[in-house]
mmCIF file of all heavy atoms in Angstrom:
data_model
loop_
_atom_site.group_PDB
_atom_site.id
_atom_site.type_symbol
_atom_site.label_atom_id
_atom_site.label_comp_id
_atom_site.label_asym_id
_atom_site.label_seq_id
_atom_site.Cartn_x
_atom_site.Cartn_y
_atom_site.Cartn_z
ATOM 1 N N LEU M 350 68.871 96.611 36.260
ATOM 2 C CA LEU M 350 67.836 96.660 37.264
ATOM 3 C C LEU M 350 68.252 96.194 38.637
ATOM 4 O O LEU M 350 67.965 96.859 39.658
ATOM 5 C CB LEU M 350 66.586 95.888 36.799
ATOM 6 C CG LEU M 350 65.970 96.384 35.462
ATOM 7 C CD1 LEU M 350 64.744 95.529 35.069
ATOM 8 C CD2 LEU M 350 65.619 97.842 35.512
ATOM 9 N N PRO M 351 68.968 95.044 38.755
ATOM 10 C CA PRO M 351 69.372 94.635 40.102
ATOM 11 C C PRO M 351 70.307 95.627 40.773
ATOM 12 O O PRO M 351 70.306 95.778 42.035
ATOM 13 C CB PRO M 351 70.136 93.318 39.848
ATOM 14 C CG PRO M 351 69.687 92.815 38.538
ATOM 15 C CD PRO M 351 69.354 94.041 37.788
ATOM 16 N N LYS M 352 71.112 96.315 39.985
ATOM 17 C CA LYS M 352 72.004 97.382 40.564
ATOM 18 C C LYS M 352 71.212 98.490 41.207
ATOM 19 O O LYS M 352 71.559 98.990 42.243
ATOM 20 C CB LYS M 352 72.936 97.906 39.472
ATOM 21 C CG LYS M 352 73.859 96.900 38.914
ATOM 22 C CD LYS M 352 74.618 97.437 37.723
ATOM 23 C CE LYS M 352 75.441 96.291 37.062
ATOM 24 N NZ LYS M 352 76.024 96.720 35.815
ATOM 25 N N PHE M 353 70.127 98.918 40.540
ATOM 26 C CA PHE M 353 69.287 99.972 41.024
ATOM 27 C C PHE M 353 68.568 99.491 42.327
ATOM 28 O O PHE M 353 68.517 100.224 43.296
ATOM 29 C CB PHE M 353 68.264 100.388 39.987
ATOM 30 C CG PHE M 353 67.493 101.637 40.266
ATOM 31 C CD1 PHE M 353 68.020 102.685 40.942
ATOM 32 C CD2 PHE M 353 66.192 101.809 39.743
ATOM 33 C CE1 PHE M 353 67.314 103.869 41.181
ATOM 34 C CE2 PHE M 353 65.452 102.925 39.988
ATOM 35 C CZ PHE M 353 65.998 103.965 40.674
ATOM 36 N N ILE M 354 68.072 98.228 42.302
ATOM 37 C CA ILE M 354 67.402 97.696 43.452
ATOM 38 C C ILE M 354 68.324 97.667 44.651
ATOM 39 O O ILE M 354 67.983 98.062 45.770
ATOM 40 C CB ILE M 354 66.823 96.313 43.152
ATOM 41 C CG1 ILE M 354 65.613 96.455 42.238
ATOM 42 C CG2 ILE M 354 66.452 95.558 44.413
ATOM 43 C CD1 ILE M 354 65.019 95.181 41.729
ATOM 44 N N GLU M 355 69.563 97.161 44.421
ATOM 45 C CA GLU M 355 70.524 97.002 45.535
ATOM 46 C C GLU M 355 70.951 98.415 46.037
ATOM 47 O O GLU M 355 70.988 98.614 47.250
ATOM 48 C CB GLU M 355 71.741 96.225 45.042
ATOM 49 C CG GLU M 355 72.791 96.008 46.143
ATOM 50 C CD GLU M 355 73.942 95.187 45.703
ATOM 51 O OE1 GLU M 355 73.852 94.490 44.658
ATOM 52 O OE2 GLU M 355 74.993 95.277 46.328
ATOM 53 N N LYS M 356 71.278 99.317 45.137
ATOM 54 C CA LYS M 356 71.778 100.601 45.577
ATOM 55 C C LYS M 356 70.779 101.375 46.380
ATOM 56 O O LYS M 356 71.098 102.026 47.328
ATOM 57 C CB LYS M 356 72.180 101.406 44.314
ATOM 58 C CG LYS M 356 72.752 102.755 44.622
ATOM 59 C CD LYS M 356 73.259 103.427 43.335
ATOM 60 C CE LYS M 356 74.008 104.700 43.570
ATOM 61 N NZ LYS M 356 73.266 105.823 43.958
ATOM 62 N N GLU M 357 69.466 101.227 46.024
ATOM 63 C CA GLU M 357 68.413 102.047 46.712
ATOM 64 C C GLU M 357 67.561 101.172 47.656
ATOM 65 O O GLU M 357 66.551 101.709 48.157
ATOM 66 C CB GLU M 357 67.593 102.736 45.674
ATOM 67 C CG GLU M 357 68.294 103.679 44.781
ATOM 68 C CD GLU M 357 69.073 104.777 45.571
ATOM 69 O OE1 GLU M 357 68.642 105.170 46.659
ATOM 70 O OE2 GLU M 357 70.098 105.198 45.074
ATOM 71 N N SER M 358 67.918 99.937 47.879
ATOM 72 C CA SER M 358 67.175 99.018 48.723
ATOM 73 C C SER M 358 65.700 98.990 48.328
ATOM 74 O O SER M 358 64.800 99.084 49.192
ATOM 75 C CB SER M 358 67.310 99.427 50.206
ATOM 76 O OG SER M 358 68.632 99.389 50.587
ATOM 77 N N LEU M 359 65.435 98.871 47.049
ATOM 78 C CA LEU M 359 64.074 98.870 46.562
ATOM 79 C C LEU M 359 63.375 97.555 46.911
ATOM 80 O O LEU M 359 64.019 96.481 46.877
ATOM 81 C CB LEU M 359 64.051 99.127 45.026
ATOM 82 C CG LEU M 359 64.695 100.456 44.610
ATOM 83 C CD1 LEU M 359 64.568 100.571 43.073
ATOM 84 C CD2 LEU M 359 64.057 101.612 45.295
ATOM 85 N N ASN M 360 62.132 97.656 47.241
ATOM 86 C CA ASN M 360 61.356 96.501 47.705
ATOM 87 C C ASN M 360 60.166 96.148 46.779
ATOM 88 O O ASN M 360 59.137 95.750 47.211
ATOM 89 C CB ASN M 360 60.868 96.713 49.148
ATOM 90 C CG ASN M 360 60.190 98.109 49.297
ATOM 91 O OD1 ASN M 360 59.921 98.737 48.321
ATOM 92 N ND2 ASN M 360 59.864 98.444 50.547
ATOM 93 N N PHE M 361 60.345 96.423 45.501
ATOM 94 C CA PHE M 361 59.305 96.121 44.542
ATOM 95 C C PHE M 361 60.027 95.711 43.211
ATOM 96 O O PHE M 361 61.205 95.887 43.049
ATOM 97 C CB PHE M 361 58.360 97.330 44.352
ATOM 98 C CG PHE M 361 59.062 98.630 44.041
ATOM 99 C CD1 PHE M 361 59.374 98.967 42.767
ATOM 100 C CD2 PHE M 361 59.345 99.505 45.061
ATOM 101 C CE1 PHE M 361 60.017 100.184 42.461
ATOM 102 C CE2 PHE M 361 59.929 100.729 44.798
ATOM 103 C CZ PHE M 361 60.324 101.030 43.494
ATOM 104 N N THR M 362 59.176 95.238 42.297
ATOM 105 C CA THR M 362 59.654 94.701 41.033
ATOM 106 C C THR M 362 59.984 95.781 40.016
ATOM 107 O O THR M 362 59.211 96.725 39.843
ATOM 108 C CB THR M 362 58.596 93.724 40.476
ATOM 109 O OG1 THR M 362 58.396 92.663 41.390
ATOM 110 C CG2 THR M 362 59.048 93.163 39.120
ATOM 111 N N LEU M 363 61.086 95.658 39.371
ATOM 112 C CA LEU M 363 61.431 96.525 38.219
ATOM 113 C C LEU M 363 61.358 95.697 36.966
ATOM 114 O O LEU M 363 61.766 94.516 36.929
ATOM 115 C CB LEU M 363 62.831 97.140 38.389
ATOM 116 C CG LEU M 363 63.058 98.031 39.577
ATOM 117 C CD1 LEU M 363 64.457 98.568 39.605
ATOM 118 C CD2 LEU M 363 62.044 99.154 39.586
ATOM 119 N N LEU M 364 60.921 96.291 35.872
ATOM 120 C CA LEU M 364 60.748 95.647 34.581
ATOM 121 C C LEU M 364 61.475 96.379 33.474
ATOM 122 O O LEU M 364 61.526 97.634 33.486
ATOM 123 C CB LEU M 364 59.259 95.548 34.235
ATOM 124 C CG LEU M 364 58.393 94.876 35.235
ATOM 125 C CD1 LEU M 364 56.915 94.981 34.820
ATOM 126 C CD2 LEU M 364 58.779 93.386 35.329
ATOM 127 N N SER M 365 62.054 95.637 32.552
ATOM 128 C CA SER M 365 62.793 96.206 31.434
ATOM 129 C C SER M 365 61.924 96.298 30.195
ATOM 130 O O SER M 365 61.410 95.309 29.728
ATOM 131 C CB SER M 365 64.019 95.325 31.134
ATOM 132 O OG SER M 365 64.686 95.732 29.977
#
Side-chain angles (χ1 to χ4, degrees):
L350 302 179
K352 296 172 188 172
F353 192 32
I354 287 174
E355 183 179 339
K356 184 173 188 283
E357 300 304 330
S358 301
L359 301 181
N360 50 7
F361 53 85
T362 300
L363 298 181
L364 302 173
S365 174

